[in-house]
Amino acid sequence: MSLKTILILIPLLPLAAAAIAGLLRKQVGRAGSHWVTILGVAVSFFLSAYVLYLQVYAGLETQNISVYTWMVADGIKFEVGFLIDHLTSLMMVVVTFVSFMVHIYTIGYMAEDPGYQRFFSYIALFTFSMLMLVMSNNFLQLFFGWEAVGLVSYLLIGFWFDRESAVYAGLKAFLVNRVGDFGFLLGIAGVLYCFGSLDYAEVFAAAPGIEGQSVSIIPGLEWQWITVICICLFIGAMGKSAQAPLHVWLPDSMEGPTPISALIHAATMVTAGIFMVSRMSPLFELSDAALSFVMLIGAVTAFFMGLVGIVQNDIKRVIAYSTLSQLGYMTVALGVSAYSAAIFHLGTHAFFKALLFLGAGSVIIALHHQQDMRYMGGLRKQMPITWITAWLGTLALIGFPFFAGFYSKDIIIEAVHASTRWGAGVAYWAVLLGVIVTSFYSFRLLYLTFHGKPRYTVDVGAGHHPPDGVLQHEPKESPLVVTVPLILLAIPSIVIGYLTIDPVLFGGWLSDSITILPQNDVVAAVGEHFHGPAALALHAVQTVPFWLMIAGFVLATFIYMVRPAMADTLQQKFPKLHALLENKFYIDELYQKLFISRTINIGNGLWKKADAGLIDGWLVNGSARLVGNLAARIRTWQSGYLFHYAFAMIIGLIGILAIWITLK
C-alpha cells in the first residue's frame, strides 16, 4: 500500500463509518453502529501511528501531496492535499487516539440513549473533520475542516435537542464561532490578496517579501499587511480555541453528552486554533505586534478563566474552565514564539483532560446523571478505579513533578519568563498565578466528589425523577467499557511528558514544521539549562511554580477537608467577589445588553415595521385592498341594462372626439 493511499484512508475511514452508522441505521443496528465507527477510527489511529513511526524511525521526510485539483481560477489552484510533517503526524495520532478512547467509552455512557446510533455517526464525522483540518496543505482545505468541525460541534452540543438549554448552548457555540470565523476568513482573503496563492509552501516562501508593506484600514493609520493577516487569522483561533472574549460558548457546551466534552474540549476542536497558529509560524514570526496581541489574550484567559472555575459546582463546568485556562497557557506560549512548547502542552493536555472529562462522566453515570458536586462526596470507596484515575489526571493537570502536565506547563512558564517581547511581564505573572488557581480548583473537585462524607441519600422508592441529592440505587463503579479508556488515558498522562520532552522541545523534532527567528527562540534559551527530564523534575522543588502548586493544595485541603464550613463562610464574607466569579465577570450579561438584545430589537423592529407593516400591510394587503375597492366601484357600473352601456359608449365617443379636435 502506497503512502498516498494510507494518507487518504486515514480521514476517509471515519467518514465512511459515519455514513454507514448514520444512513444505514436500520440495516446495521445499534451494535453495528458502534462496531463500524470504532473499527474505522481504530484503523485510522493505527495508520496514523504507522506514519509517525515512519517519520521517527524510518527517516520519512516531509510529504506535500496533492490529491485532487478541484478548480483553477485565474491561475489560482484550489486543491485537496496533505502536508505530512512531524507536527501533522503528532496531531493525527493525538486526535485519533483520543477519539478511539471516546468511541469505546460511548458504548457504556450512551447505552440507554435513543440517539445512540446518531451519536456514533456524529463523533466519527467529527474525527474526519478534524483530520482534514490538521492534514491540509492549503488554506482552502484548512477552512473546510475548520467549518466542518464547527458544524458537527453544533450538532453534538445540541445533541439532546429536547432540552432548551442544549439547543441554546449549541446555537451559542455556533454563533460565537461565526464571529471568529469571519475574522479567519478575512485573514485567508488577505493571504490570497497578498500572495495570490492558498498553498502553504508558496505562501510561506513568499511571506518575507511583504514585510514592511502597509495598508490604511483607518484613514491616517497605517498597518503592516502581515500584522493584519496574522491578527485576523488569530481571531479565528480565538473562536475555536475559546480565548477571551470569544470564550463564552465553551462552558455552556457542557450541555452535550460527556464523551463530547472529552472529544471537543480535550484533543480536537479547541486545539485547532493552537495548531493553526503553530502551522502559520512563518507568518506570525514576521509581526511582533501580532504575537504580543496573541500573548496578552492568552494571559487574560489563563488567569481569569481559572478564577471562575473556583466557584463552579457543576463537575463538568469546573473541567471546562480548566480547559479554558490551559488553552490560555498554550496561547501565551504561541505569543512568545514557543510554538513547540504550545504543541507539547497540547499533546499532554489532550490525554489528561480527556481522562478528567471521562472520569467526570463515570461519576455522572454512577449518580444517575447528577452533575452538581454539592450532592456528591465519599465516592472513592464505591468507585476506586475512577477515583485513582481522577487523581492521576489531577496530578498531571496541576503540574506535579514527573507527570505529563509538569513538563509542558513548566517549560511554558520558563519560556515566558525568558521572553523580552512587549507584555511578557504581565503574561508571566498571569501564568505564574494561574498555577495556584489550577491547583486549588483541581483539588476542590477531587475533595467534593470523592472524599468526605456522602452528601446524597439512597431511597429505592424515590420514583423515576428523584430530587437532587436522592438516588434510587447505591453508586457503583462503571463497567469496563468506561473504566478501560480511563486506564489507557491515565498511562500517557503519567509518562508521555517524561518520554517526549527532549525530542519535541530540544531535539529539533518540530523544526520541519515550525519557523522561529533566532532572536525569538526562547525555547532554545530554556534548553541551555535542561539536563534531562529527571533532573528537571527534581529541580522543581526549588522553583516558585512548585510551591504555588503546593499552596493551592494546602489551601483546598484546609477549606474542604479540615474546615468544610469555611467555604460557606468565605462566600458570605465576600458576596460581591463570589457573585462576580459565579456570574463569570458578567461577560454574558454584557454581550446580552450590547449585542444580543439590540440585535433582537432590530429584528423585532424590522419584523413589525418593515415586514408586517410595510411589506404585508402596505404592499401585499394594501394592494389587495386597492384592487378590492376599485373592483367594488367598477362593479356598480355593470347594471345589466343595454341602454346604460349604449349611453356609456356615446359619452366615450364624445370624449374621444373632443380630445381629437382639441389636439388638432
Side-chain angles (χ1 to χ4, degrees), residues 264-471:
I264 293 180
H265 306 136
T268 52
M269 179 175 169
V270 294
T271 60
I274 309 300
F275 164 79
M276 185 272 293
V277 176
S278 299
R279 175 64 75 200
M280 303 302 153
S281 60
L283 302 179
F284 279 85
E285 281 296 288
L286 301 175
S287 175
D288 285 337
L291 287 173
S292 290
F293 178 74
V294 171
M295 177 181 59
L296 292 175
I297 291 292
V300 170
T301 307
F303 180 64
F304 289 101
M305 295 305 104
L307 287 177
V308 177
I310 291 174
V311 301
Q312 298 297 309
N313 293 315
D314 187 305
I315 187 171
K316 287 173 63 177
R317 284 184 176 263
V318 175
I319 306 174
Y321 278 102
S322 169
T323 300
L324 284 173
S325 181
Q326 297 308 304
L327 289 168
Y329 274 86
M330 300 176 206
T331 305
V332 169
L334 296 173
V336 297
S337 297
Y339 306 100
S340 57
I343 295 298
F344 186 44
H345 195 49
L346 183 157
T348 61
H349 175 265
F351 296 114
F352 64 73
K353 188 53 60 73
L355 171 61
L356 289 172
F357 269 121
L358 296 186
S362 178
V363 170
I364 293 168
I365 294 172
L367 297 179
H368 313 302
H369 296 278
Q370 174 61 259
Q371 297 183 194
D372 196 328
M373 295 186 298
R374 292 172 296 183
Y375 303 108
M376 299 180 184
L379 293 175
R380 70 184 187 279
K381 296 179 180 178
Q382 293 94 337
M383 308 180 71
I385 298 176
T386 303
W387 171 56
I388 293 171
T389 54
W391 262 93
L392 295 174
T394 298
L395 292 174
L397 170 61
I398 66 173
F400 195 81
F402 290 101
F403 283 77
F406 160 74
Y407 293 102
S408 54
K409 187 184 289 186
D410 188 77
I411 293 299
I412 289 176
I413 294 172
E414 291 300 317
V416 177
H417 186 58
S419 176
T420 57
R421 178 158 288 126
W422 184 88
V426 175
Y428 176 69
W429 280 104
V431 296
L432 197 62
L433 294 175
V435 173
I436 187 173
V437 175
T438 302
S439 179
F440 181 84
Y441 66 63
S442 298
F443 284 108
R444 174 178 178 265
L445 184 149
L446 278 178
Y447 293 148
L448 290 179
T449 305
F450 297 102
H451 296 266
K453 296 180 179 179
R455 293 179 297 280
Y456 58 84
T457 57
V458 179
D459 185 0
V460 179
H464 294 291
H465 300 287
D468 288 334
V470 179
L471 304 177

Side-chain angles (χ1 to χ4, degrees), residues 596-612:
I596 300 174
S597 60
R598 294 187 179 184
T599 303
I600 292 174
N601 290 335
I602 292 172
N604 288 333
L606 291 173
W607 162 51
K608 292 180 180 179
K609 299 288 181 66
D611 189 22

Side-chain angles (χ1 to χ4, degrees), residues 657-664:
L657 287 171
I659 294 171
W660 180 71
I661 293 170
T662 303
L663 293 176
K664 189 176 180 181

Side-chain angles (χ1 to χ4, degrees), residues 622-644:
S623 60
R625 284 195 298 270
L626 178 62
V627 171
N629 292 333
L630 288 174
R633 294 180 181 276
I634 295 172
R635 192 181 302 117
T636 60
W637 300 351
Q638 305 295 321
S639 63
Y641 295 106
L642 183 60
F643 66 87
H644 284 171

